[in-house]
Amino acid sequence: MPTEEAIHTILIVDDVPENVELLKYLLQQEGFKTYTAYSAEEARLVLLNTAIDTLLLDVNMPVQDGFSFCRELRTMDQFKLLPILFITSIEREVGFQEAMKNGGDDFINKPFNKRELVAKIHSVIRLKDLQDELYTQKSKYEKELQTARRVQDQLIPEKSFIWNGIKAQTLFHPYLQIGGDFVDSWIEEKKLHIVIADCSGHGPSAALIGAMFKMQLFNLVPSMGLHARVEHLRKNMELVLPEDYAITFCYAILDGDLKLSYINGGHPAPIVYIDGETKFLKGMSPMIMGINFTANDEVQTVQLKNGSMFFMYTDGASEAMNSKSEYITEEGMKEIFHKSVKSGEDILLSVQNQILEFCGSSTPSDDMAMVCIQL
């Protein structure tokens, strides 16, 4: 009596018609839908035009043997995970080794035992069903990530604008389709605000925390000073931040007199170019963590001038690694920024290109966000 396995399809490949008919009869009794082929060429046509769940493959066939055909299939993306069982009269130990070496999933010795044959088919089909389910879930997840990325692009758009002759530019490049970095710059109360943040972790959870961070920025009152703004961010993010997560950040405000005030909460040191020299800005406050504690945030100040440049980035840049397992490091980011300034090119684009050039064939393993203010 057919069972739920009737939905599964099996392709029988053997150059001996009697063997094909016997296998076809036995498997149909088990509820499988069968297809047949008498050569590798015929089998190739069936596989390219029909959804097959398992391939039963003879070894000794004219023109192209089973081992060669199996190796060919494994080079094709659509057949890399296709269950392939060899059925042959080759001695069991040698046959099994050859089957595995040539890309097969199992080996059945002739004359075969019906129970063994059916049990092995059920076994590889269960694995295939699990693989198919994982692939389906992966496809759904990737579609959801694409949708989330479009939403995140709206939440964290890359910006480039001029204010009082000052150019503000941001860059956001998530390692996955969405990430936990945040960067923004805007004008408020005749001052330029610059914020960069990095939530620990990657993917949807980190991105969601990044979105909550931006919501808290929206809730800031215009009359708040820098210290009060950071205190508000800390208090409200600590309420929602899980204990195993943390946020590093740097919030800076540039006024009309070109005085830059900032609080750096555990973030890589901001970099400033002034009077032909590139240097780190000092001062460090605690990062935001999912615990309630009293942080001593210190407002740092630096007087900039026309021709100065202010640069911040997330550690996905400084921790980018090349094939030799070497990191760029914060000192390396200072050098990259200095070269970009001297090049006269688009600074953020130049910085990004130098990072990718450093990584070479390696892919950066973390999200990257940057902001550059050119006075």
Side-chain angles (χ1 to χ4, degrees):
M1 179 178 180
T3 67
E4 62 179 4
E5 303 293 345
I7 62 171
H8 293 111
T9 56
I10 299 178
L11 173 59
I12 304 165
V13 186
D14 196 315
D15 63 320
V16 179
E18 292 80 6
N19 293 341
V20 171
E21 291 303 315
L22 175 59
L23 286 167
K24 180 179 177 181
Y25 172 77
L26 293 176
L27 295 176
Q28 286 180 344
Q29 291 298 305
E30 292 295 319
F32 295 106
K33 183 176 182 179
T34 61
Y35 293 84
T36 59
Y38 299 94
S39 66
E41 183 179 2
E42 290 184 16
R44 192 180 296 109
L45 291 174
V46 175
L47 287 168
L48 291 174
N49 294 281
T50 310
I52 297 297
D53 293 312
T54 301
L55 174 61
L56 296 184
L57 184 58
D58 186 29
V59 173
N60 297 313
M61 297 187 296
V63 183
Q64 185 176 14
D65 65 71
F67 289 149
S68 172
F69 183 48
C70 183
R71 292 197 303 272
E72 175 190 325
L73 292 176
R74 293 313 191 202
T75 65
M76 305 168 71
D77 288 341
Q78 65 266 47
F79 301 126
K80 283 184 177 179
L81 297 178
L82 173 69
I84 299 177
L85 301 181
F86 286 106
I87 300 183
T88 180
S89 57
I90 297 176
E91 194 271 328
R92 178 176 291 273
E93 183 175 345
V94 175
F96 182 81
Q97 291 176 351
E98 288 298 311
M100 297 301 103
K101 185 172 70 175
N102 287 281
D105 293 288
D106 212 331
F107 170 86
I108 298 172
N109 197 248
K110 292 180 181 178
F112 58 82
N113 178 285
K114 177 187 175 182
R115 290 183 178 179
E116 179 188 10
L117 171 66
V118 172
K120 288 192 174 185
I121 290 175
H122 281 303
S123 176
V124 294
I125 282 181
R126 277 195 297 271
L127 288 175
K128 183 179 184 298
D129 286 345
L130 288 173
Q131 289 170 345
D132 290 345
E133 183 179 351
L134 287 173
Y135 180 81
T136 299
Q137 293 300 322
K138 179 175 179 289
S139 297
K140 290 180 179 178
Y141 180 68
E142 288 176 346
K143 288 181 180 178
E144 291 175 356
L145 282 180
Q146 291 172 2
T147 301
R149 176 61 195 274
R150 288 194 292 269
V151 173
Q152 191 174 48
D153 285 343
Q154 297 299 315
L155 286 172
I156 314 175
E158 293 187 346
K159 291 184 176 181
S160 181
F161 63 90
I162 304 293
W163 172 72
N164 288 347
I166 297 170
K167 182 179 179 180
Q169 189 177 11
T170 67
L171 180 146
F172 175 59
H173 182 77
Y175 165 58
L176 297 173
Q177 289 178 322
I178 54 176
D181 286 4
F182 175 85
V183 63
D184 200 3
S185 183
W186 69 96
I187 308 302
E188 185 177 329
E189 298 288 299
K190 298 182 180 181
K191 294 180 181 179
L192 179 65
H193 292 246
I194 312 111
V195 177
I196 194 165
D198 185 2
C199 175
S200 57
H202 308 286
S205 58
L208 195 58
I209 293 172
M212 289 189 288
F213 185 88
K214 178 163 186 175
M215 289 174 61
Q216 294 306 320
L217 287 175
F218 281 140
N219 292 331
L220 295 173
V221 178
S223 60
M224 282 182 171
L226 177 58
H227 191 279
R229 286 170 177 264
V230 169
E231 187 176 39
H232 174 92
L233 287 170
R234 281 191 183 281
K235 178 181 177 182
N236 287 279
M237 290 307 299
E238 286 171 359
L239 295 175
V240 297
L241 197 64
E243 288 188 9
D244 53 344
Y245 280 79
I247 300 174
T248 67
F249 70 94
C250 189
Y251 194 139
I253 299 177
L254 181 69
D255 65 22
D257 295 326
L258 304 187
K259 185 179 76 173
L260 182 78
S261 303
Y262 65 93
I263 293 178
N264 181 6
H267 204 74
I271 300 173
V272 65
Y273 174 84
I274 186 168
D275 293 331
E277 182 183 1
T278 301
K279 58 184 179 182
F280 294 115
L281 292 183
K282 300 179 180 180
M284 184 74 70
S285 297
M287 65 182 71
I288 299 173
M289 295 177 285
I291 55 176
N292 187 14
F293 74 103
T294 302
N296 183 22
D297 290 312
E298 294 186 14
V299 177
Q300 311 291 331
T301 60
V302 59
Q303 183 63 51
L304 302 182
K305 58 180 67 175
N306 290 328
S308 300
M309 298 191 190
F310 176 66
F311 175 67
M312 295 192 294
Y313 60 91
T314 55
D315 62 12
S318 57
E319 294 179 1
M321 183 188 297
N322 62 18
S323 59
K324 298 179 182 179
S325 298
E326 299 169 332
Y327 294 101
I328 287 181
T329 72
E330 292 188 22
E331 189 64 39
M333 285 301 298
K334 187 176 79 168
E335 293 176 7
I336 286 175
F337 176 65
H338 186 80
K339 288 180 182 178
S340 298
V341 172
K342 292 299 185 180
S343 72
E345 301 174 0
D346 181 292
I347 291 178
L348 293 190
L349 182 60
S350 175
V351 169
Q352 185 181 38
N353 287 339
Q354 288 185 67
I355 291 172
L356 295 177
E357 183 180 350
F358 174 87
C359 293
S361 59
S362 301
T363 302
S365 59
D366 199 358
D367 313 322
M368 286 191 290
M370 306 176 200
V371 57
C372 183
I373 309 299
Q374 300 173 245
L375 285 68

